[in-house]
Structure formats: C-alpha cells, structure tokens
C-alpha cells in the first residue's frame, strides 16, 4: 500500500502462497519470515523476493520462523529451533544460544526474545523463569507486557522478572498500547483495558 492502507496490491513474486509471520527493514533491504520456508529478502521494496536462509537455517524447526528483529548490524530470527542471528544480512546464520523467540521486543539496549533477554546483542542470554513462553510483547513507559497462553504478565525491571496480572484472559496472541489503553488480541476475540491490565472488557464487533 502506498496510501496508508486504503488500497493494497500483491507484492509477492518469489514468496507467494507462503505464510508470512513478520517483516523487518534493515537499510534498504526488506526481510520476511515464513513458517516452513525460512527467511526471504527483497531489495526492491517488496516487488521481488529471494530465499536467503540456506546457510545456518537448515533444519525443519529452524525454517519455522515466527519473528524477525534487527539490532545494529545483526538480524535475529525467532524459530521453533531457538533464536538465530545473522551478521551479514541473512547470508549465513548461527544459533544465538537461547530457545524461544516467538516474539521480540527492543527496550533500550535490551533485546527480549520470549522470556529470555540479552544486553550484549545476543552474546549472552538470561531467562526470567516465570511462566510459559511469551507469544507477544509490548511496552509502555517502564512496563513490559507479555501475552501468553495462560494470560498476561508484566515486568517493571526490563524483563528480569515477570508477574501475572491477567490470568483470566484467554490465550493472548497480540498486544498493543495506545494512549495508556492496553489491547489484547486473544483466541476468543479482542479485549481492552483502561488501567494497564488490572481489569478487562471484551470488545464487540460490528452488528
């Protein structure tokens, strides 16, 4: 779309009929992750795509890529086989040393991958050890929110620890914070909180 989403045109030559899970821009390159087919790259604003994961993302688990994020010159891929990193724009990949990675979040100098975090670009990882793995992440001020299959968690210490604040919600697949209002996309619809997760109301669709 060239008009803020009012109109759309297919732009999938080389990546058609694949389940695209996330996209990331680094420099002039655009990267797309897929389930079952690894990572693709476009150098012409998405008009043409080519697969770039042959070196390093070779196993069936690592080809299921759920999320991408760029930090400095590194491109991180969250896969079923853990978090992989490429320092050469996707030409080669190496396992970064941590599992998980269904979702990423950058908060200051800290990169969060699920319930693991690193302060040194993936050289060392630590785990929060709290609850099931994150399915989505969002940040508001100094608070990080983690949506999981067993509800909502939050951290006030930059992902070092998380505490449950929304166990009554269904499995959470997406989170967004807009003007101090927290939205949660779940397996049973959309929920809204006006007090940053303390209480929730279901949002009804059009009738």
């Amino acid at each position: 779309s060239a008009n803020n989403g009012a109109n759309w045109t297919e732009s999938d030559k080389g990546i058609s009929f694949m389940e695209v899970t996330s996209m990331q821009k680094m420099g002039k390159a655009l990267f797309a992750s897929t389930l079952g087919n690894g990572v693709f790259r476009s150098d012409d604003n998405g008009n043409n795509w080519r697969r770039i994961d042959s070196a390093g993302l070779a196993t069936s688990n690592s080809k299921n890529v759920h999320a991408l994020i760029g930090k400095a010159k590194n491109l991180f891929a969250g896969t079923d086989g853990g978090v992989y990193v490429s320092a050469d724009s996707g030409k080669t990949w190496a396992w970064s040393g941590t599992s998980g990675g269904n979702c990423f979040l950058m908060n200051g100098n800290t990169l969060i991958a699920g319930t693991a975090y690193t302060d040194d670009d993936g050289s060392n990882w630590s785990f929060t050890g709290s609850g099931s793995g994150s399915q989505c992440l969002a940040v508001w001020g100094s608070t990080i929110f983690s949506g999981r299959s067993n509800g909502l968690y939050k951290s006030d210490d930059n992902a070092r620890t998380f505490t449950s604040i929304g166990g009554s919600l269904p499995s959470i697949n997406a989170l967004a914070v807009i003007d101090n209002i927290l939205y949660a996309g779940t397996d049973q619809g959309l929920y809204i909180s006006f007090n940053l997760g303390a209480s929730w109301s279901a949002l009804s669709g059009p009738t």
Side-chain angles (χ1 to χ4, degrees):
S1 174
N3 52 11
N4 296 317
N7 303 100
W8 293 87
T9 303
E10 279 189 323
S11 185
D12 59 356
K13 186 177 181 180
I15 198 174
S16 56
F17 304 108
M18 297 184 191
E19 185 174 352
V20 178
T21 55
S22 69
M23 305 185 78
Q24 177 68 37
K25 188 177 186 300
M26 292 185 69
K28 295 183 179 180
L30 186 61
F31 298 89
S33 62
T34 69
L35 290 183
N37 291 283
V39 180
F40 289 73
R41 172 174 175 158
S42 173
D43 295 297
D44 57 4
N45 296 317
N47 290 314
N48 296 277
W49 295 87
R50 57 187 174 87
R51 191 168 173 173
I52 60 166
D53 61 358
S54 57
L57 294 180
T59 67
S60 58
N61 281 342
S62 65
K63 290 185 184 300
N64 284 328
V65 186
H66 299 274
L68 295 172
I69 195 169
K71 187 177 188 298
K73 294 183 179 180
N74 290 333
L75 179 63
F76 293 87
T79 79
D80 284 351
V83 177
Y84 285 73
V85 60
S86 173
D88 54 12
S89 298
K91 294 178 182 178
T92 58
W93 296 84
W95 186 57
S96 73
T98 188
S99 58
N102 282 350
C103 54
F104 289 120
L105 177 72
M106 280 296 307
N107 192 41
N109 195 48
T110 300
L111 171 61
I112 304 160
T115 50
Y117 64 89
T118 176
D119 296 317
D120 54 11
D121 296 338
S123 297
N124 297 279
W125 292 86
S126 300
F127 288 92
T128 64
S130 53
S132 60
S134 295
Q135 299 180 152
C136 51
L137 293 160
V139 62
W140 178 257
S142 60
T143 300
I144 296 170
F145 296 97
S146 168
R148 308 184 185 185
S149 60
N150 60 343
L152 183 69
Y153 287 67
K154 78 168 184 175
S155 171
D156 293 309
D157 55 8
N158 206 20
R160 272 56 182 171
T161 59
F162 281 89
T163 57
S164 175
I165 61 169
S168 62
L169 285 176
S171 180
I172 302 173
N173 304 311
L175 287 170
V177 189
I178 304 173
D179 295 332
N180 210 37
I181 300 173
L182 182 59
Y183 299 85
T186 78
D187 287 351
Q188 298 179 29
L190 186 64
Y191 287 75
I192 187 170
S193 173
F194 295 98
N195 49 21
L196 294 178
S199 60
W200 292 89
S201 300
L203 281 176
S204 300
T207 57

